[in-house]
Amino acid sequence: MKLKRLLATLIDGILVIWIGSLPKLIIQDFAIYGQINIIIDCLCLILIVFLFIKKDCIIGYESIGKKIFRLKIYSNSKQVKDKKLLTNRVKKTFYKFPLYPISILCEGKSEGDIEYDTEVN
């Protein structure tokens, strides 16, 4: 289960970074330089953060990585369908992202799971 969660997060991260970088890849063909390039980079970074935080809400109630591994998010033995809770849960984990793999491997739960009393199965 722990490995599935980590692999699901890896898949989500790769997809989010790829999708968030698409505007930059499209626009770079027009050879825009200087300050506009910096603004585009910042906008892409904001898009990546936004997509990652919303990853569990974009298509249904779990991320693409979770869908691939057939993982669902539960609270009190019921699947979580509150998109605000799903977003807040990922936000809490995102702030301490470097600790995420350690938390999953040691405790089996992320910071967001602990804070919002959820579990992934």
Side-chain angles (χ1 to χ4, degrees):
M1 181 63 61
K2 295 174 184 179
L3 182 60
K4 282 184 176 182
R5 257 190 103 172
L6 290 174
L7 289 173
T9 302
L10 178 64
I11 289 169
D12 293 337
I14 290 168
L15 284 172
V16 163
I17 290 170
W18 184 75
I19 292 167
S21 300
L22 277 178
K24 175 71 175 177
L25 295 173
I26 293 167
I27 292 171
Q28 83 180 8
D29 289 339
F30 297 107
I32 299 173
Y33 298 103
Q35 293 176 340
I36 294 174
N37 206 16
I38 293 170
I39 292 169
I40 293 167
D41 289 345
C42 290
L43 291 174
C44 285
L45 183 60
I46 291 168
L47 178 61
I48 288 168
V49 170
F50 175 80
L51 288 173
F52 194 81
I53 289 174
K54 294 286 191 178
K55 69 184 176 76
D56 288 336
C57 304
I58 294 172
I59 303 173
Y61 303 103
E62 58 271 330
S63 66
I64 293 173
K66 286 183 183 77
K67 285 182 186 297
I68 290 170
F69 288 102
R70 295 187 175 116
L71 299 172
K72 298 201 181 297
I73 304 163
Y74 295 96
S75 179
N76 300 323
S77 301
K78 295 179 185 174
Q79 184 179 359
V80 176
K81 296 196 177 197
D82 179 2
K83 293 195 176 199
K84 185 175 182 182
L85 174 66
L86 293 171
T87 300
N88 288 338
R89 178 183 161 276
V90 176
K91 265 190 221 176
K92 181 70 175 181
T93 302
F94 186 78
Y95 296 137
K96 297 181 179 180
F97 189 75
L99 300 176
Y100 179 80
I102 296 167
S103 178
I104 295 299
L105 291 173
C106 294
E107 299 176 29
K109 288 187 161 216
S110 68
E111 292 290 322
D113 290 331
I114 294 166
E115 175 82 18
Y116 293 98
D117 193 31
T118 58
E119 62 184 59
V120 177
N121 289 321

